Amino acid sequence: MWLAILILILLLIGTPVGIVLGVGGLFGMYQIGGEFFMQVAPSKIFNGLNIFPFLAMPFFILAGEIMNHTGITQRLVVLSEVLVGHFRGGLAHSNMLASVFFSGITGAATADAAAFGRTLVPAMKKQGYTGPYACAVTAAGSIIGPTIPPSGLMVVYGSLMGVSIGGLFATGILPGLLVCAVCMTIIASSGKRKNLPISGRRATLLEILVAFRGSLLALIMPIIILGGILFGVVTPTEAASVAVAYALFIGTVVNPCMSWPILYRMLVDTAKLSAVIFLIIGTASIMGWYLSFMQIPQQIAALFVSLTDDPTLILLMIIGLLLTIGMVLDINAMLILLAPLLVPLTAEIGMDPLHAGIVFVLALNISLMTPPVGACLFVLSSVTGERLEAIAKELWPFLLGELAVLLFIAFTPKAALFLPRLLGF
Amino acid sequence: MRKWMQTMSLRLNGANELLVGVLMGLLVLDVWAGVLDRYLIHWQLNWVEELARYIMIWAIMLAVPCAACSRAHIGLDLLTRKLPLAGQRLCLFVADLAMLLFFLYIAYAGVNFTAKGLAQLSTVFSTPMAFPYAAIPVAFSLAALQTFVLMIAGTAPVADEGGN
């Protein structure tokens, strides 16, 4: 009880999430076995991070940073504009499409939200979209990136739960595209009512071809990353390192813009970004140890099963829990704390591990943009200066659409598993 | 005194970042060597994975103090940003104190952890596990030091630091 109060207070006064989990975990250990138990903490941090596939995370971040610097990602925005820019609400549509194109390069929703918030939101405002609407579209699109592979969250999930990361990557493609399609439908259907701007004429075939050629190098990158992993040729870590090599090749040979100081800065920044995530993973491992010592997973599972034995209801409860807690806690921490609690339950109701994995990842990603405290909303609000409440108001239709995709994926395992099965996972 | 502490903290951070940058570079090279070996040269290098894991832990753990230095470890500021300035300062102080105490404790317990690692040998290199383990006490004492300087020398609450 005291532990819960301590955690809540620390969270509310703005203590970094990694520290909250660490302090909470230490406090819990002290309650069980005094200082003697607390001494275990460093080994929990070390072992929580001593995992080879985790290397894929910093490498994907690094590759994305280099690609951004080469300016090639900018051409992806141009490509999506020539493809869908002429519809009503063209820039909103191209924002969504660009999220899909970007998804093969980056793997973190908040980074996507920050990048788009700085570039696409001002462009949309200039054309006559309201600020909150532009932010809502960007927030809705930002979860496409980490749903379509590569995705840092899938790397963590796969490594921790012993599920094939390649398989998770394959499973993520369909829901990612579905989210894009649903959001574009929502934009199109509300276009007239909201009087969304029309930016101009349809691009000619030649213009499309030129834009396509310009972004070809960026489009190849996901093929290199995913192709290798999905066909089982390389491990995710190897693929991520090849992606770094490919991005460096573009940055030095094709479009020379890299220098040693720039590369050094990127290496350090990548390490810092990863450090924030790794600290959370490490301290969540302390907390996770405490939870499993107290047999909390078994208690929660027993509670769920005692409430109902209907698999549908259990799955709904799991999704509800993920969405609620995901609103306040970092999603990596959530995975480490909740996956061991909930995944056995999904196995009990007969879910395939890959299927359970994608439901987890998608639910956690959606929680990133759920008001009142979704991280993507915060990033967008602070980057653009729009008020959180105003963005949240415009976000509802998209949020409902994405929840519908989540439920569809959760309750039609055949569709969810079609692609991974096709690829032999 | 405050000025001196800030300068020292910055210099320390500069050296710290340099080390992180070099280790990250080595990490990339190591994994590239592994890929080349597996698909082209076939020397059956068995140390690539183990080395990569240990460099990764050192590089990323050492980036924890750098991130602390620039306040990159973020928490929820939904509530605190609505408080008056004095309240914001108090919250920030308590949060920093929790961070400092946590870093200090892990650094202290990490020394014992590392000492235990003197007797364990790693699978491939057969060197004491104390080498990789030492990343924990080193990184966390640096992080504690940087947090301490931040608490003393830099007290202004940072409201709009969001993003990265």
Side-chain angles (χ1 to χ4, degrees), chain A residues 63-83:
Chain A
E65 293 244 330
I66 301 174
M67 286 301 268
N68 272 332
H69 186 73
T70 60
I72 270 185
T73 41
Q74 206 47 43
R75 297 188 197 170
L76 289 175
V77 177
V78 176
L79 176 66
S80 41
E81 271 176 30
V82 296
L83 286 175

Side-chain angles (χ1 to χ4, degrees), chain A residues 46-134:
Chain A
F46 186 90
N47 294 326
L49 299 175
N50 190 17
I51 294 172
F52 187 64
F54 277 5
L55 257 175
M57 269 189 289
F59 283 0
F60 281 136
I61 297 177
L62 181 60
E65 293 244 330
I66 301 174
M67 286 301 268
N68 272 332
H69 186 73
T70 60
I72 270 185
T73 41
Q74 206 47 43
R75 297 188 197 170
L76 289 175
V77 177
V78 176
L79 176 66
S80 41
E81 271 176 30
V82 296
L83 286 175
V84 291
H86 57 281
F87 294 117
R88 181 183 283 279
L91 261 187
H93 285 296
S94 26
N95 189 333
M96 280 295 158
L97 204 58
S99 297
V100 173
F101 289 147
F102 268 59
S103 66
I105 296 169
T106 63
T110 41
D112 283 12
F116 280 28
R118 286 198 192 95
T119 52
L120 279 177
V121 171
M124 286 174 75
K125 270 168 52 180
K126 217 162 146 191
Q127 266 202 13
Y129 294 83
T130 67
Y133 187 78

Side-chain angles (χ1 to χ4, degrees), chain A residues 132-377:
Chain A
Y133 187 78
C135 286
V137 170
T138 309
S142 67
I143 73 154
I144 296 175
T147 306
I148 295 183
S151 145
L153 207 57
M154 290 179 187
V155 173
V156 177
Y157 186 93
S159 320
L160 287 180
M161 306 311 299
V163 179
S164 152
I165 297 175
L168 283 171
F169 279 8
T171 323
I173 296 173
L174 175 75
L177 294 178
L178 272 179
V179 165
C180 174
V182 167
C183 288
M184 282 173 89
T185 314
I186 293 172
I187 296 170
S189 63
S190 67
K192 264 230 157 78
R193 192 163 43 81
K194 286 192 174 295
N195 198 17
L196 297 179
I198 307 171
S199 33
R201 60 185 182 83
R202 181 189 284 266
T204 62
L205 191 62
L206 186 70
E207 281 168 325
I208 295 180
L209 281 177
V210 169
F212 188 72
R213 217 187 68 180
S215 46
L216 196 61
L217 283 170
L219 290 173
I220 290 178
M221 182 133 144
I223 298 175
I224 296 179
I225 298 179
L226 293 184
I229 302 174
L230 294 184
F231 290 103
V233 185
V234 291
T235 65
T237 310
E238 289 171 341
S241 82
V242 173
V244 171
Y246 178 72
L248 271 179
F249 170 74
I250 293 179
T252 49
V253 179
V254 183
N255 196 357
C257 63
M258 293 294 290
S259 65
W260 287 108
I262 293 175
L263 181 62
Y264 166 70
R265 204 59 251 162
M266 284 177 178
L267 286 171
V268 174
D269 286 346
T270 301
K272 272 162 83 172
L273 273 177
S274 315
V276 174
I277 304 173
F278 275 42
L279 182 68
I280 291 172
I281 295 178
T283 54
S285 312
I286 303 180
M287 192 72 193
W289 182 86
Y290 166 78
L291 290 180
S292 65
F293 188 90
M294 299 300 284
Q295 302 211 319
I296 309 263
Q298 290 84 341
Q299 288 174 24
I300 291 195
L303 175 74
F304 272 39
V305 177
S306 74
L307 287 176
T308 172
D309 52 4
D310 180 5
T312 314
L313 280 178
I314 291 183
L315 185 52
L316 280 176
M317 285 199 288
I318 292 176
I319 292 174
L321 193 68
L322 288 173
L323 289 174
T324 334
I325 304 186
M327 286 193 273
V328 279
L329 212 56
D330 174 87
I331 53 174
N332 290 294
M334 294 262 305
L335 258 195
I336 293 163
L337 297 179
L338 289 184
L341 314 190
L342 299 179
V343 171
L345 210 56
T346 60
E348 214 162 290
I349 58 173
M351 273 177 96
D352 183 277
L354 280 179
H355 185 206
I358 192 61
V359 171
F360 259 71
V361 169
L362 194 57
L364 289 179
N365 282 339
I366 291 177
S367 77
L368 273 179
M369 49 159 277
T370 315
V373 282
C376 283
L377 288 181

